């Protein structure tokens, strides 16, 4: 689909550039804190020895030309907007290989189970390496046997998935755990056909071009106005999509970005109570990536994978399946995105109370330094920690979230608590500014799946200890046992 309008009003353009003092969630940016630290140094760079000469061509400490540009926050939250025509290109000889049996997989994901090709065992591998290899093959086979039954047992699938889902069977497993794909094998083909058609019909309807303008009215000049789109929603989505996982080549391709735009826009207009909220763009990427991998011979699609080279039927299926699974996920946490985002406020309060129980020293230090939990953990709830971790690590974490009864709401709070107290030794030695800078750029770049599994295990321990003591995970005055954070 076409991008946002090129004829954007000057007032709208202001939405594209962040205030130096805030990130996109209105929280203090790292750049603003760094500027405070280096204020004196910056002044010396901006002054000339001759007071009569104007400062020309000077650059800031972030290397931005002050003559024609403003500073942007140097944060992983914020990616520079791409130019209209700056999409990467991949020669077909360099791309990933589409599975020859992709049409069978389109019809029923279970057909992919028969295509799993185990890598050979490591040559001259140590006993430990051979044990790891054998254990992985065994887990894949357990999933295969379960997924190939006429009616999949959800309880057994959850038990298997909690400890991680092999990439070879992840797409189908996720779709079943989320309730998108029926557990009954006889209903899968018809369900997929119906749901995919429903989504594609919804896309056509949403992006349908408006009728011929009335006499005397000029035709709409922009793509958004020409289709009769909700311009406020479309404008924000078209800004956020190029910022989505900008460090991963897959998300730089035009086909990927157009697909994400359609998913987010259709979801937004179908959910008017919340509409589009920044952060939802992150949540669609694990689905898109996992479902795309199902059709490729190489499951790692983050690099050298231009989706624009794939058959339209594959892209349509990946897009539709991602839309419906995103919808299933958000249905369970929609309070996070409606007006005033009450769900996030409940989770942040729950995290504060839980931290006080787990690590009172840290909680009191944060309080003494004037650090509000909302200042750093709002993003953790809004984006489900995706800004703090790689997409691959997020995917592993979601294996467990989907296996939990309320993984994306209640269990996520325990994960955030385990995540926060992990840095306790460093945080209690810091002042307010150091704490905020540290929490907005946590050193998780080199985290592996083992780090995620340790975090999930610690969260499970806290949940086991405290979930029956429900008061600390319930808003004040809420006596309802049905609360999502019980």
């Amino acid at each position: 689909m076409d991008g946002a309008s090129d004829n954007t009003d000057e007032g709208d353009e202001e939405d594209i550039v962040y205030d130096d003092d805030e990130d996109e969630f209105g929280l203090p940016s790292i750049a603003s804190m760094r500027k405070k630290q280096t204020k004196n140094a910056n002044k010396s760079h901006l002054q000339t020895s001759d007071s009569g000469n104007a400062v020309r061509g000077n650059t800031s400490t972030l290397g931005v030309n002050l003559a024609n540009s403003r500073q942007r926050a140097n944060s992983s939250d914020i990616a520079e907007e791409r130019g209209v025509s700056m999409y990467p290109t991949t020669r077909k000889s360099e791309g990933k290989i589409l599975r020859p049996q992709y049409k069978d997989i389109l019809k029923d994901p279970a057909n992919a189970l028969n295509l799993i090709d185990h890598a050979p065992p490591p040559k001259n591998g140590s006993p430990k390496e051979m044990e790891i290899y054998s254990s992985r093959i065994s887990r894949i086979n357990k999933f295969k046997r379960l997924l190939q039954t006429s009616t999949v047992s959800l309880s057994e699938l959850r038990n298997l998935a909690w400890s991680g889902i092999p990439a070879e069977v992840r797409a189908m497993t996720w779709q079943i755990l989320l309730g998108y794909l029926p557990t009954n094998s006889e209903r899968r083909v018809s369900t997929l056909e119906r749901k995919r058609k429903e989504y594609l019909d919804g896309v056509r309807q949403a992006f349908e071009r408006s009728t011929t303008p009335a006499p005397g009215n000029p035709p709409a000049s922009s793509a958004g106005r020409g289709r009769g789109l909700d311009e406020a929603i479309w404008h924000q989505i078209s800004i956020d999509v190029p910022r989505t996982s900008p460090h991963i080549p897959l998300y730089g391709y035009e086909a990927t970005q157009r697909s994400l735009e359609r998913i987010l826009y259709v979801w937004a207009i179908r959910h008017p109570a919340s509409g589009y909220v920044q952060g939802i763009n992150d949540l669609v990427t694990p689905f898109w990536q996992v479902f795309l991998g199902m059709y490729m011979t190489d499951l790692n699609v983050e690099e050298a994978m231009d989706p624009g080279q794939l058959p339209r039927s594959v892209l349509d299926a990946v897009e539709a399946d991602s839309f419906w699974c995103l919808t299933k996920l958000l249905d369970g946490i929609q309070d996070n995105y409606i007006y005033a985002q009450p769900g996030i406020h409940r989770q942040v309060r729950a995290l504060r109370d839980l931290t006080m129980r787990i690590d009172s020293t840290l909680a009191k230090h944060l309080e003494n330094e004037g650090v509000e939990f909302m200042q750093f953990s709002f993003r953790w709830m809004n984006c489900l920690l995706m800004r703090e971790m790689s997409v691959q690590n997020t995917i592993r974490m979601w294996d467990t979230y989907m296996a939990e009864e309320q993984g994306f709401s209640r269990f996520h709070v325990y994960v955030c608590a385990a995540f926060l107290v992990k840095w306790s030794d460093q945080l209690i030695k810091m002042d307010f500014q150091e704490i905020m800078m540290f929490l907005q750029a946590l050193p998780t770049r080199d985290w592996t799946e083992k780090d995620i599994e340790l975090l999930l295990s610690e969260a499970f321990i806290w949940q086991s200890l405290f979930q029956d003591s429900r008061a600390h995970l319930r808003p004040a005055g809420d006596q309802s046992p049905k609360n999502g954070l019980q």
Side-chain angles (χ1 to χ4, degrees), residues 336-394:
N336 287 13
Y337 304 105
I338 62 175
Y339 177 74
Q341 299 180 275
I344 289 181
H345 286 267
R346 284 198 300 269
Q347 287 182 306
V348 170
R349 287 197 299 269
L351 175 62
R352 180 195 60 207
D353 297 343
L354 190 55
T355 305
M356 181 61 78
R357 290 192 172 207
I358 295 171
D359 190 339
S360 60
T361 301
L362 173 60
K364 289 174 181 175
H365 177 70
L366 295 177
E367 183 180 353
N368 291 339
E369 289 298 325
V371 176
E372 297 285 345
F373 273 70
M374 186 64 73
Q375 290 174 304
F376 64 87
S377 64
F378 178 91
R379 187 175 73 187
W380 296 5
M381 308 305 175
N382 193 73
C383 302
L384 296 177
L385 286 174
M386 285 197 65
R387 300 293 177 90
E388 280 58 50
M389 300 177 185
S390 68
V391 176
Q392 285 294 342
N393 284 336
T394 297

Side-chain angles (χ1 to χ4, degrees), residues 105-226:
I105 302 171
L106 282 170
K107 186 177 181 181
D108 185 349
N111 290 324
L113 300 175
N114 300 319
L115 304 176
I116 296 175
D117 185 18
H118 301 300
K123 289 184 178 181
N124 303 318
S126 66
K128 180 66 175 176
E129 289 173 329
M130 295 305 296
E131 181 184 349
I132 293 172
Y133 174 82
S134 299
S135 175
R136 173 173 165 73
I137 301 299
S138 175
R139 278 189 63 74
I140 292 174
N141 289 333
K142 285 181 181 179
F143 274 94
K144 278 182 64 176
R145 284 194 295 270
L146 183 55
L147 293 171
Q148 287 174 330
T149 58
S150 58
T151 302
V152 177
S153 167
L154 273 178
S155 60
E156 289 183 44
L157 191 60
R158 287 193 185 104
N159 288 337
L160 269 180
W162 205 101
S163 300
I165 304 170
E168 294 87 344
V169 296
R170 180 174 277 128
M172 183 178 177
T173 301
W174 275 18
Q175 291 176 6
I176 292 176
L177 288 175
L178 284 167
Y180 170 56
L181 203 61
T183 56
N184 187 320
S185 60
E186 295 180 358
R187 295 177 49 221
R188 283 184 203 138
V189 174
S190 60
T191 298
L192 281 178
E193 287 179 356
R194 175 172 53 83
K195 298 300 284 185
R196 287 169 179 171
K197 182 179 184 301
E198 183 181 341
Y199 170 73
L200 294 173
D201 287 346
V203 169
R204 280 189 286 271
Q205 196 172 36
F207 290 87
E208 191 175 54
R209 293 191 178 275
S210 60
T211 56
T212 304
N217 291 338
S221 57
S222 74
R225 293 186 181 93

Side-chain angles (χ1 to χ4, degrees), residues 169-297:
V169 296
R170 180 174 277 128
M172 183 178 177
T173 301
W174 275 18
Q175 291 176 6
I176 292 176
L177 288 175
L178 284 167
Y180 170 56
L181 203 61
T183 56
N184 187 320
S185 60
E186 295 180 358
R187 295 177 49 221
R188 283 184 203 138
V189 174
S190 60
T191 298
L192 281 178
E193 287 179 356
R194 175 172 53 83
K195 298 300 284 185
R196 287 169 179 171
K197 182 179 184 301
E198 183 181 341
Y199 170 73
L200 294 173
D201 287 346
V203 169
R204 280 189 286 271
Q205 196 172 36
F207 290 87
E208 191 175 54
R209 293 191 178 275
S210 60
T211 56
T212 304
N217 291 338
S221 57
S222 74
R225 293 186 181 93
R227 285 191 297 255
L229 299 182
D230 183 312
E231 283 202 63
I233 294 175
W234 179 254
H235 179 65
Q236 191 60 58
I237 289 173
S238 65
I239 291 170
D240 287 351
V241 164
R243 296 178 184 146
T244 304
S245 300
H247 53 290
I248 299 177
L250 173 66
Y251 296 100
Y253 291 105
E254 183 174 14
T256 308
Q257 294 191 13
R258 297 294 80 80
S259 180
L260 297 183
E261 286 172 352
R262 291 189 290 269
I263 292 170
L264 295 169
Y265 183 77
V266 174
W267 187 89
I269 62 175
R270 286 189 172 206
H271 296 81
S274 59
Y276 173 72
V277 177
Q278 287 178 298
I280 296 179
N281 56 306
D282 292 308
L283 304 185
V284 73
T285 56
F287 294 122
W288 212 89
Q289 196 164 313
V290 168
F291 298 161
L292 179 65
M294 179 166 56
Y295 299 96
M296 312 308 296
T297 55

Side-chain angles (χ1 to χ4, degrees), residues 418-429:
F419 189 59
L420 177 60
V421 301
K422 181 178 183 65
W423 316 105
S424 181
D425 289 346
Q426 294 101 307
L427 290 170
I428 59 176
K429 299 173 184 175

Side-chain angles (χ1 to χ4, degrees), residues 20 74 103 186:
D20 287 341
N74 182 14
K103 291 182 180 178
E186 295 180 358

